């Protein structure tokens, strides 16, 4: 280790690392208990971490336990201020906070009664937003909603707000944006890539292949070697 600097400067300490000085102590390494330093007077001292939780006998330690209902209510409000959430998402958050099930159900029920939790509205807004912004089709949208705990019947009603014509228009728009970047690629491989892109967004294989073939035909691509109804894995 090279020589120590004065307070407020840095030196090269253990293993050649540059350690800063903090509060008159030159930090030179670390150990299990915390950072080890050498003060400007030359003696070693260790900065220890504070105790875990409130100290025995402190006001915080003597305070009564938090009211589970207040904990649940505050947690739900904080999550909802960041954006809409499903009832299942909020219930999972309360479980992680060890809120008793009966208390959680009571709080979630009140939030539902006043309209702060509305899975139907959440699902419908999710479908429109994700379809418009990401071009996702019904299958992908349904999977996302189920992952968020939305009931199957609610999921079904929400995705049905997308009609087949709207879904096909969006698929064609996605393909049109990708055509330029795939020009020059061998036709079969190019078709595979485009169909795979739509499949990953939840479009059915039949719709994806038909939209891709129509787009390539309008572009003047040679489609003679393409099968009529291929079964391809997504790339």
């Amino acid at each position: 280790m090279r020589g120590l600097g004065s307070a407020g400067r840095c030196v090269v300490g253990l293993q050649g690392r540059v350690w800063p000085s903090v509060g008159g102590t030159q930090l030179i390494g670390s150990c299990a208990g915390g950072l080890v330093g050498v003060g400007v007077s030359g003696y070693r001292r260790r900065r220890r971490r504070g105790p875990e939780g409130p100290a025995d006998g402190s006001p915080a330690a003597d305070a009564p336990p938090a009211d589970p209902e207040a904990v649940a209510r505050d947690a739900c409000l904080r999550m909802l201020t960041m954006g809409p959430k499903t009832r299942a998402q909020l219930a999972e958050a309360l479980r992680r906070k060890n809120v008793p099930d009966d208390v959680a159900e009571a709080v979630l029920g009140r939030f539902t009664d006043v309209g702060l939790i509305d899975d139907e509205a959440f699902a419908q807004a999710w479908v429109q937003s994700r379809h418009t912004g990401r071009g996702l089709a019904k299958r992908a949208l349904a999977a996302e909603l189920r992952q968020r705990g939305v009931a199957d019947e609610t999921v079904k009603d929400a995705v049905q707000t997308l009609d087949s014509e709207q879904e096909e228009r969006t698929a064609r728009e996605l393909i049109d944006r990708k055509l330029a970047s795939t020009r020059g690629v061998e036709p079969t491989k190019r078709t595979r890539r485009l169909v795979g892109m739509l499949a990953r967004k939840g479009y059915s294989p039949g719709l994806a292949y038909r939209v891709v073939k129509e787009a390539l035909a309008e572009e003047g691509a040679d489609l003679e070697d393409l099968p009529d109804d291929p079964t391809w894995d997504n790339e």
Side-chain angles (χ1 to χ4, degrees):
M1 183 182 74
R2 281 187 264 177
L4 299 174
S6 61
R9 299 178 59 188
C10 293
V11 297
V12 177
L14 300 179
Q15 299 178 345
R17 182 173 175 181
V18 177
W19 296 84
S21 61
V22 178
T25 298
Q26 184 64 55
L27 303 179
I28 63 171
S30 62
C31 66
L35 295 171
V36 177
V38 176
V40 293
S41 60
Y43 64 87
R44 294 166 63 87
R45 67 184 181 184
R46 178 178 296 169
R47 296 173 60 211
R48 295 186 179 275
R49 297 184 181 93
E52 294 292 337
D56 292 341
S58 67
D62 295 337
D67 175 24
E69 184 174 340
V71 171
R73 186 171 56 249
D74 292 345
C76 289
L77 287 173
R78 281 196 301 272
M79 291 186 66
L80 290 169
T81 57
M82 294 185 289
K85 297 291 185 295
T86 67
R87 182 173 179 133
Q89 287 176 311
L90 294 171
E92 176 59 27
L94 297 185
R95 277 193 292 271
R96 291 197 299 268
K97 290 183 175 294
N98 297 317
V99 175
D101 290 344
D102 58 335
V103 175
E105 281 300 309
V107 171
L108 294 173
R110 286 197 291 274
F111 275 52
T112 301
D113 291 342
V114 299
L116 292 175
I117 300 174
D118 188 338
D119 281 5
E120 291 182 2
F122 177 95
Q124 292 173 6
W126 186 272
V127 165
Q128 294 301 322
S129 174
R130 298 286 283 173
H131 180 75
T132 302
R134 297 290 303 279
L136 299 185
K138 293 179 182 179
R139 186 174 60 182
L141 293 166
E144 289 188 340
L145 288 172
R146 291 190 180 99
Q147 289 172 359
R148 286 155 180 79
V150 179
D152 286 342
E153 192 64 29
T154 302
V155 171
K156 181 180 178 180
D157 291 342
V159 298
Q160 289 305 318
T161 59
L162 285 179
D163 59 51
S164 57
E165 292 182 358
Q166 181 180 359
E167 201 172 41
E168 184 170 340
R169 284 195 303 271
T170 302
R172 180 57 191 266
E173 291 170 0
L174 291 169
I175 292 301
D176 288 343
R177 291 202 293 266
K178 280 286 186 178
L179 282 177
S181 64
T182 59
R183 290 194 181 104
V185 178
E186 188 272 327
T188 300
K189 187 174 184 179
R190 186 186 189 195
T191 303
R192 185 190 301 269
R193 286 183 181 178
L194 294 171
V195 171
M197 182 268 291
L198 289 181
R200 288 189 295 275
K201 289 182 176 289
Y203 293 89
S204 67
L207 172 62
Y209 187 57
R210 176 166 56 81
V211 169
V212 169
K213 283 191 69 174
E214 289 174 356
L216 294 177
E218 291 177 11
E219 191 185 55
D222 183 6
L223 306 180
E224 291 184 2
D225 295 333
L226 295 181
D228 291 333
D229 187 17
T231 301
W232 287 333
D233 294 331
N234 295 347
E235 286 193 352

